[in-house]
Amino acid sequence: MSQEILIGLDCETECAVDGCSGSDCQHALIPHQARITVVGAYWEVMGAPCRRVFRDLAELRLFLDTFPELMILAFNGKFDMKMLRYHGVNIPIERWVEDPCLQAVASYVKVPEDYLQWYEAKRKEHNKARKKGRAHREAGQHSLKVLAPYFLGVDPFWEPEDHDDDQYVLLDTEYAYKLHSVLQTMLKEQGTETFYREKLLPWSRMFLEAEERGVMLDMDLVNRGAAESEAMAKEAKEALDKLWAPAYAAQRLQAKAQLADQYGAMETKAIAKLKVSTDERVRKTIEKYHGLYLQAVEKIEPFNMGSPSQLKWLLRDYLGLDIHGYDGKESTDAEVLERLAAEGREDVKLLLKYREQTKLASTYFPAYKEMARDGILHGSFNLATARTGRTSSSNPNLQNQPRSLRQIFRARPGYKLLVKDLGAIEPTLIAYYSECPVLYDVLAAGKDFHGFNANVIFGQDWDLKALKKERPAERDMAKEIGLSVLYGAGGTRIRIASMKRGYHWSDEKCRQIASNLRAAWPGVTDFKRQLDAAARAGKPITNMFGRKRQFTDPDDVAMHAFNSLIQGTGSDLLLDGTHRALQEMRSKGIDAHLLMTVHDELICEVPEGRAEECDAIVTRCLTDYKLETPHGLVPLTVEGGIADTWTK
DNA sequence: GAACCACGCGCC
DNA sequence: AAAGGGCGCGTGGTTC
């Protein structure tokens, strides 16, 4: 058997959409809207560098087929693999075995903040000097642009004007290849290599397949919904235009007066400057500036209710409304508008409706229409963006889809969607890490966590079993406040939550409630203190999956260490469980696919006939972690089930 | 015209 | 002592 050899590959892509001229065009990132211009390859034989450039993908395919001992190293390989596989180079995902980007994610030693800032300054300098070609975008802490100069000590490098330059693609590939061995040594020393190899890499492969599979949309619903939201937004706007016509007129008058002042001043100045001040010259000057004034009046923009600053003027200055939020700051956000609407402002109700519908009509429906190919939406999932270790999603972001639109996401014919989410995962993990006896008791005994908080907040001793039915409003408020305080919120947050519901509690009372809640979870408060101290001392914080994060700025620790640990662990637990479930389903010959994850939720597509079986496997894999504490195991729970669409 | 920022809002 | 955190995207508005 021939020995495996690592080969670094890097794809350069460009926008392949006819007539696209968008400056912030993302098409080069979307397989079916991109073209691969060139692929660079770099490897070493007995320490000697070998380089090769492929412009013909058939040639690359032949090359890879001919040398099966070549295993692939690629920086953010999910992207390159996706591009290559989409464009006909059918590389099995198992052949992608190294990814320096994921190594950098696993490493708790990061590129320092001041280096990033230095690089940022360099980048801006370069962009300014650039004559043509695309500007360089901000480089994140896990980008090759930053990692290579920092860890390899090479100069910052920039893409050439002609994008398929041989030298450039080879440089990229070589840096990725060399970065790999530097980081490999680092990860070994840190004890993070296993996390990289056994967790991040398999997860990234898992997302590669999820992205390739994509999720089916009900395009009839999309088209209907798009038309409907546009119509409703238009309707709300027209009604508002009528109600606010006097305000628009006033704004216009004000703008005209301002222009009159402005041009009047210019006119006076010009007349004063006249060398020969004949009546004729003066008359001409006046005519000139009056003409300019009239031109400017023509150009006065109509009132734009999409502009927060204009809205502020209308609501506050013209209508005389109080637009202070519960945090004391002026704003036109939903919180302020909802208060005004509750006070009976019909126009503000319409504005809220307008906002809601324009959000759908400008953000979500267009994305479905433009980004779905053949009715299938292929989002992208990123393991290297969120500092906590959560995944993020983009192009489009599948993790912020409005609940009201989720029926658009459907299972393919013959399949079902298996939608499962981890129940109260964050309180569960807080109980595990903090070993707080009270929190453990509430969760282990299946008591009502929010009801418990309601009693603390209202100073009552209500029956926990009956509270959900008898005092839903109080429980709902406790849900918001209790979780917030557990995550670190204070009195301000409580004031906001209570004022929203019509309470008028003093700052002092709110601070007292926050303090009472912290005292109600003594273990949590202690643990947070200890964790903060460790983080401030620069100690890397390790979670149960081997993910490590270090804080280098002691001032940045407040709340971050704790939230990062909890969020990151929740995310890791979901991904790990999902990955194991998929392996098991595949090993049983089930044609199951992951479609997406949303932090504590997964959506799989499973064959109709085996959906129950899959449900059982997923449920078991998500709950079989042993969350041991001195008081016993903290139970993990899973909710959700089998459906045709993404709804519960 | 491009880059950047603030705001607002969808989700967890 | 006090403090929620994490994302991506569209729009308006400013600046170079």
Side-chain angles (χ1 to χ4, degrees):
Chain A
M1 188 182 148
S2 59
Q3 208 188 329
E4 289 182 357
I5 300 174
L6 265 188
I7 182 168
L9 289 184
D10 181 43
C11 283
E12 299 297 322
T13 63
E14 66 182 17
C15 168
V17 174
D18 279 342
C20 170
S21 57
S23 62
D24 53 347
C25 150
Q26 300 275 310
H27 296 138
L29 305 179
I30 321 277
H32 75 288
Q33 294 172 324
R35 175 186 311 117
I36 298 176
T37 53
V38 58
V39 180
Y42 177 93
W43 69 105
E44 291 176 359
V45 177
M46 317 271 290
C50 307
R51 300 182 176 86
R52 190 159 166 186
V53 166
F54 296 89
R55 289 173 189 286
D56 177 359
L57 293 182
E59 200 182 311
L60 173 62
R61 189 168 46 202
L62 183 66
F63 176 78
L64 290 172
D65 286 348
T66 310
F67 302 104
E69 68 273 26
L70 295 177
M71 301 303 270
I72 293 167
L73 175 159
F75 191 93
N76 187 18
K78 179 159 69 62
F79 174 81
D80 301 82
M81 292 290 287
K82 199 160 73 159
M83 282 293 169
L84 289 170
R85 282 156 62 98
Y86 181 81
H87 289 98
V89 186
N90 295 311
I91 313 167
I93 52 171
E94 295 76 22
R95 214 168 152 180
W96 161 40
V97 297
E98 298 287 355
D99 189 331
C101 179
L102 295 177
Q103 287 179 301
V105 172
S107 166
Y108 63 75
V109 176
K110 302 292 186 190
V111 176
E113 194 54 42
D114 52 359
Y115 189 89
L116 285 173
Q117 281 171 15
W118 172 83
Y119 180 86
E120 221 358 50
K122 279 260 164 201
R123 178 183 71 91
K124 283 181 177 159
E125 221 171 87
H126 178 267
N127 275 348
K128 230 175 222 168
R130 163 187 61 101
K131 292 244 163 34
K132 54 172 189 163
R134 292 172 64 92
H136 282 78
R137 299 174 192 196
E138 187 164 355
Q141 63 169 343
H142 298 131
S143 66
L144 186 64
K145 288 270 186 302
V146 171
L147 292 167
Y150 184 73
F151 285 112
L152 299 178
V154 298
D155 285 337
F157 55 106
W158 317 102
E159 280 163 38
E161 281 159 12
D162 49 337
H163 193 248
D164 60 351
D165 183 276
D166 279 11
Q167 295 301 314
Y168 176 75
V169 70
L170 286 173
L171 194 70
D172 244 13
T173 319
E174 183 176 338
Y175 285 167
Y177 188 97
K178 291 187 168 158
L179 194 55
H180 161 258
S181 39
V182 171
L183 291 178
Q184 168 75 9
T185 310
M186 260 178 57
L187 295 192
K188 280 220 156 110
E189 283 168 8
Q190 293 175 7
T192 48
E193 206 241 337
T194 309
F195 181 68
Y196 156 68
R197 201 168 296 287
E198 293 177 14
K199 306 293 178 189
L200 286 179
L201 202 54
W203 295 346
S204 195
R205 288 189 188 137
M206 171 173 85
F207 278 118
L208 165 58
E209 291 191 304
E211 290 171 16
E212 287 182 340
R213 173 89 179 174
V215 53
M216 194 177 90
L217 300 181
D218 184 332
M219 290 311 281
D220 286 338
L221 273 185
V222 169
N223 291 323
R224 275 215 302 279
E228 217 166 89
S229 62
E230 278 167 34
M232 285 173 78
K234 195 173 161 219
E235 194 183 318
K237 185 182 182 302
E238 281 168 358
L240 271 175
D241 282 344
K242 262 195 197 135
L243 283 175
W244 285 348
Y248 297 176
Q251 188 212 30
R252 196 178 154 78
L253 269 180
Q254 212 177 61
K256 273 173 87 168
Q258 207 174 17
L259 287 173
D261 279 354
Q262 197 181 320
Y263 284 94
M266 283 161 73
E267 182 191 278
T268 313
K269 223 171 166 182
I271 291 173
K273 269 197 176 168
L274 283 178
K275 290 206 181 82
V276 193
S277 185
T278 62
D279 283 356
E280 176 64 9
R281 298 293 281 272
V282 170
R283 196 178 56 77
K284 280 230 158 124
T285 307
I286 291 174
E287 256 173 28
K288 180 181 154 197
Y289 282 95
H290 187 64
L292 287 173
Y293 161 75
L294 288 177
Q295 271 180 30
V297 167
E298 284 300 303
K299 282 191 195 146
I300 293 178
E301 295 284 341
F303 184 82
N304 183 350
M305 63 180 78
S307 156
S309 72
Q310 294 189 43
L311 216 43
K312 262 185 190 168
W313 171 84
L314 192 149
L315 296 174
R316 178 192 55 201
D317 302 336
Y318 183 80
L319 295 174
L321 300 173
D322 176 14
I323 57 165
H324 287 92
Y326 297 123
D327 61 358
K329 288 184 203 136
E330 288 192 334
S331 163
T332 69
D333 66 12
E335 186 188 278
V336 169
L337 298 187
E338 266 155 25
R339 172 175 58 77
L340 293 169
E343 289 166 7
R345 294 290 316 194
E346 293 304 318
D347 51 353
V348 176
K349 284 182 198 167
L350 279 169
L351 179 60
L352 278 165
K353 192 170 173 185
Y354 171 78
R355 280 246 179 101
E356 183 189 314
Q357 296 302 319
T358 48
K359 181 84 175 174
L360 299 180
S362 69
T363 304
Y364 295 102
F365 287 115
Y368 302 152
K369 288 185 177 181
E370 286 159 29
M371 310 201 73
R373 58 177 203 254
D374 305 324
I376 308 285
L377 194 57
H378 304 263
S380 174
F381 294 88
N382 200 335
L383 291 169
T385 306
R387 282 175 298 197
T388 52
R390 269 191 177 180
T391 55
S392 75
S393 167
S394 58
N395 300 319
N397 181 354
L398 294 173
Q399 295 178 324
N400 73 345
Q401 297 301 313
R403 301 193 81 85
S404 65
L405 300 187
R406 292 188 177 183
Q407 76 233 28
I408 289 172
F409 294 69
R410 329 186 38 97
R412 290 167 167 84
Y415 290 83
K416 290 277 184 188
L417 292 188
L418 179 58
V419 181
K420 307 294 286 185
D421 67 290
L422 295 162
I425 186 63
E426 297 198 344
T428 302
L429 292 174
I430 292 172
Y432 165 67
Y433 279 116
S434 72
E435 302 180 347
C436 173
V438 185
L439 189 51
Y440 170 80
D441 189 48
V442 168
L443 293 175
K447 286 186 195 162
D448 183 0
F449 174 72
H450 304 311
F452 184 99
N453 287 325
N455 277 337
V456 177
I457 292 164
F458 292 96
Q460 300 288 333
D461 195 15
W462 290 321
D463 177 12
L464 289 186
K465 288 191 198 80
L467 220 132
K468 201 166 184 171
K469 266 202 175 151
E470 288 175 9
R471 301 185 182 275
E474 285 87 344
R475 186 178 176 278
D476 183 62
M477 186 164 120
K479 185 174 173 178
E480 182 178 333
I481 293 177
L483 283 176
S484 298
V485 172
L486 213 50
Y487 301 152
T492 314
R493 189 76 194 190
I494 294 177
R495 226 174 90 84
I496 291 170
S498 58
M499 283 183 83
K500 260 204 300 212
R501 294 168 174 83
Y503 294 88
H504 298 278
W505 291 346
S506 67
D507 284 355
E508 175 52 34
K509 183 180 167 80
C510 291
R511 273 200 296 276
Q512 188 58 53
I513 290 173
S515 154
N516 291 348
L517 279 167
R518 282 195 287 270
W521 313 112
V524 177
T525 311
D526 277 354
F527 173 72
K528 209 178 288 177
R529 232 194 320 268
Q530 285 173 28
L531 189 73
D532 270 17
R536 262 195 289 273
K539 214 178 144 216
I541 291 158
T542 308
N543 81 2
M544 56 187 280
F545 293 93
R547 182 190 290 275
K548 299 191 182 196
R549 182 171 177 193
Q550 183 180 45
F551 289 84
T552 48
D553 177 3
D555 296 334
D556 185 44
V557 166
M559 291 325 305
H560 290 101
F562 182 78
N563 277 313
S564 193
L565 176 66
I566 302 305
Q567 278 194 5
T569 307
S571 176
D572 290 345
L573 192 145
L574 182 84
L575 297 197
D576 196 62
T578 303
H579 186 254
R580 289 191 299 117
L582 280 167
Q583 299 281 93
E584 186 174 332
M585 291 188 283
R586 294 281 169 83
S587 76
K588 290 185 171 152
I590 303 174
D591 184 33
H593 305 270
L594 176 67
L595 300 184
M596 50 201 274
T597 65
V598 191
H599 310 307
D600 65 353
E601 178 180 11
L602 69 89
I603 295 106
C604 278
E605 198 167 41
V606 298
E608 212 161 1
R610 306 190 72 171
E612 308 283 345
E613 198 183 337
C614 291
D615 192 345
I617 294 170
V618 169
T619 302
R620 173 164 43 73
C621 286
L622 290 179
T623 52
D624 61 6
Y625 297 94
K626 300 279 169 270
L627 302 182
E628 271 177 67
T629 74
H631 326 292
L633 288 182
V634 189
L636 280 162
T637 59
V638 169
E639 290 156 7
I642 300 157
D644 289 312
T645 70
W646 183 16
T647 41
K648 284 173 212 156

